[in-house]
Amino acid sequence: MDYVAQLSSLVMNNLQYVLLGMTIMILLALVVFVSINMKLAKMNKRYRTMMQGMEGQNLETLLISHIEDVKKVVHKVDDLSVVCRRLEGISKECIQKVALVRFNAFEDVGSDLSFAIAILDSHNNGIVISSIYGRNEFRTYAKPVVSGDSSYLLTEEEKQALTQAMKK
């Protein structure tokens, strides 16, 4: 108890200094409080501005709208992927490889007027067309090609056209 009495006596003898110290601490606390309230007011203003969004919509409505748009776009992309795969399948069956070999079929005809053309799809299926030009006659032959080979006998020029086409 003697300790409490001494402390009480010390505070009473220096009361003006104790009150001055407490006043300074209260003023510092007030400055910190005002500063925090000003920062909070700025943050609230920015938050309200952000929540306003575009054209008066709040941010939540705007985000939900964008999420719905993204879902629609994903659905369209899925549809386009299906169409793209279908078109890729179709395109493999289309003409993709063509090669032409011109040649002179007869000694007495110049200018390489005869030709062999190979027309193939991506699986090397298609046709080889030969045209033989002579002074008195003109003939055209068509031979089917399956997997890069024909069941008919091919001339050297037809083989050359087929080989060139398959390399493409």
Side-chain angles (χ1 to χ4, degrees):
M1 291 281 202
D2 191 36
Y3 178 71
V4 174
Q6 286 179 353
L7 184 61
S8 176
S9 169
L10 179 66
V11 168
M12 288 304 213
N13 290 338
N14 298 308
L15 187 60
Q16 70 270 14
Y17 297 117
V18 171
L19 288 175
L20 181 64
M22 290 179 83
T23 304
I24 291 173
M25 287 176 31
I26 289 172
L27 286 175
L28 283 174
L30 182 63
V31 168
V32 168
F33 177 74
V34 168
S35 172
I36 288 173
N37 274 341
M38 288 175 55
K39 289 180 182 178
L40 183 62
K42 286 181 186 178
M43 284 177 49
N44 277 337
K45 183 179 177 185
R46 287 178 27 202
Y47 175 75
R48 280 193 299 280
T49 303
M50 182 177 71
M51 291 306 285
Q52 264 321 121
M54 296 174 12
E55 300 172 2
Q57 295 177 334
N58 69 20
L59 189 59
E60 181 182 9
T61 306
L62 194 62
L63 286 174
I64 289 171
S65 171
H66 283 312
I67 288 170
E68 289 173 3
D69 289 344
V70 167
K71 286 180 182 177
K72 289 177 186 175
V73 168
V74 166
H75 184 68
K76 284 182 181 181
V77 167
D78 291 342
D79 291 345
L80 289 173
S81 293
V82 169
V83 170
C84 184
R85 274 187 249 119
R86 187 174 58 84
L87 290 175
E88 283 176 350
I90 292 170
S91 72
K92 289 181 181 182
E93 306 300 320
C94 295
I95 295 172
Q96 293 187 2
K97 304 172 184 180
V98 177
L100 173 71
V101 174
R102 292 178 57 113
F103 60 95
N104 189 3
F106 302 106
E107 296 280 331
D108 62 337
V109 178
S111 300
D112 292 339
L113 296 176
S114 299
F115 65 88
I117 185 168
I119 303 170
L120 306 174
D121 64 9
S122 66
H123 303 293
N124 292 329
N125 297 328
I127 190 169
V128 174
I129 299 173
S130 298
S131 174
I132 308 296
Y133 179 80
R135 286 199 186 272
N136 297 327
E137 61 183 307
F138 173 78
R139 295 192 183 229
T140 303
Y141 303 95
K143 299 174 184 175
V145 175
V146 177
S147 297
D149 195 22
S150 179
S151 58
Y152 292 88
L153 183 63
L154 298 177
T155 65
E156 286 302 315
E157 293 82 6
E158 291 169 334
K159 289 178 186 176
Q160 187 179 358
L162 184 60
T163 302
Q164 287 177 9
M166 287 191 301
K167 288 181 182 178
K168 293 184 177 184

